[in-house]
Amino acid sequence: MALRYFAVLTVVLALATTSKRAVADPDILSDFIVPQNNTKVNGTFFTCTKFRGLFDGVPETFKVTKAALTEFPALNGQSVSYAVLQFPANGVNPPHTHPRSAELLFLVAGSLDVGFVDTKNVLYSQKLQVGDIFVFPKGLVHYQYNSQPNMPAIAVSAFGSANAGTVSVPLSVFATEIDDEILAKSFKTDVDTIEKIKAGLAPHK
């Protein structure tokens, strides 16, 4: 009986470990990974200049600038990435998730109202001031909002993945091909309301 219990426990632990590895960045067996088409590696390969001049102006709408795997190939296998979040007055980063990483946000200018919702639908919110750090747990829905009517805000976010991924709640629900009738029933409203929401999310031409 004890042997059978031990065998089941071993299988459960093995599955749990395998599942955890499947969603995390892979471990690498070298110091770093160089793309196949890169024949020369020097300090430039390990440098990202995307943030130069970023703080010289204020965007008209919320803007995120990433230094992740796509933008910065040297991050491949390193399990880290950055993003700079720029909020104009009353700017918002709508509810979204990062399926592969927690987010550690550091506020460097202005103030932000932030929050996340856990799996019990409990909201944890806070008003951040310059110098504050807030963590959004991996995979949970969260947001950031600059409630100041005439002051911009800037934050820097760090991720424990080179490719944290972003799933926008409004876009994934209302800007995909989910049938309007299904959405109307799910949100206990009517199709006309759903169509108005979709029209509001459509890109401006």
Side-chain angles (χ1 to χ4, degrees):
M1 183 70 176
L3 185 59
R4 182 181 301 172
Y5 174 80
F6 178 77
V8 171
L9 181 61
T10 301
V11 171
V12 170
L13 289 174
L15 289 173
T17 304
T18 302
S19 175
K20 185 176 180 181
R21 286 178 180 169
V23 298
D25 286 5
D27 288 332
I28 60 175
L29 301 178
S30 59
D31 295 332
F32 49 85
I33 298 174
V34 179
Q36 290 183 352
N37 60 352
N38 194 327
T39 57
K40 183 179 180 181
V41 175
N42 54 31
T44 302
F45 175 70
F46 301 98
T47 305
C48 178
T49 60
K50 290 184 63 66
F51 297 158
R52 287 183 183 177
L54 199 61
F55 306 100
D56 295 341
V58 179
E60 294 182 2
T61 59
F62 167 74
K63 180 182 178 183
V64 56
T65 305
K66 298 179 181 179
L69 182 59
T70 300
E71 299 81 14
F72 192 11
L75 296 182
N76 192 8
Q78 303 303 321
S79 300
V80 292
S81 59
Y82 264 135
V84 172
L85 312 179
Q86 294 174 282
F87 300 81
N90 293 316
V92 63
N93 187 4
H96 60 282
T97 69
H98 302 294
R100 292 181 288 275
S101 176
E103 175 181 357
L104 191 63
L105 181 142
F106 175 45
L107 186 63
V108 297
S111 64
L112 283 179
D113 297 309
V114 302
F116 69 86
V117 179
D118 70 6
T119 55
K120 296 179 181 178
N121 287 328
V122 176
L123 172 66
Y124 299 87
S125 60
Q126 184 68 28
K127 190 173 190 70
L128 303 182
Q129 304 297 326
V130 171
D132 291 348
I133 294 175
F134 192 88
V135 62
F136 302 99
K138 180 168 64 175
L140 297 185
V141 173
H142 60 280
Y143 65 89
Q144 300 106 19
Y145 172 52
N146 178 15
S147 60
Q148 297 297 317
N150 50 24
M151 181 184 297
I154 299 176
V156 177
S157 287
F159 300 91
S161 169
N163 186 19
T166 301
V167 180
S168 167
V169 173
L171 294 180
S172 64
V173 173
F174 295 104
T176 55
E177 297 180 1
I178 300 176
D179 186 84
D180 288 355
E181 190 68 33
I182 294 173
L183 292 175
K185 290 181 180 295
S186 299
F187 288 92
K188 302 188 186 308
T189 186
D190 53 69
V191 170
D192 287 343
T193 300
I194 297 299
E195 290 178 346
K196 289 178 181 177
I197 295 173
K198 286 187 172 184
L201 291 172
H204 299 290
K205 295 181 180 180

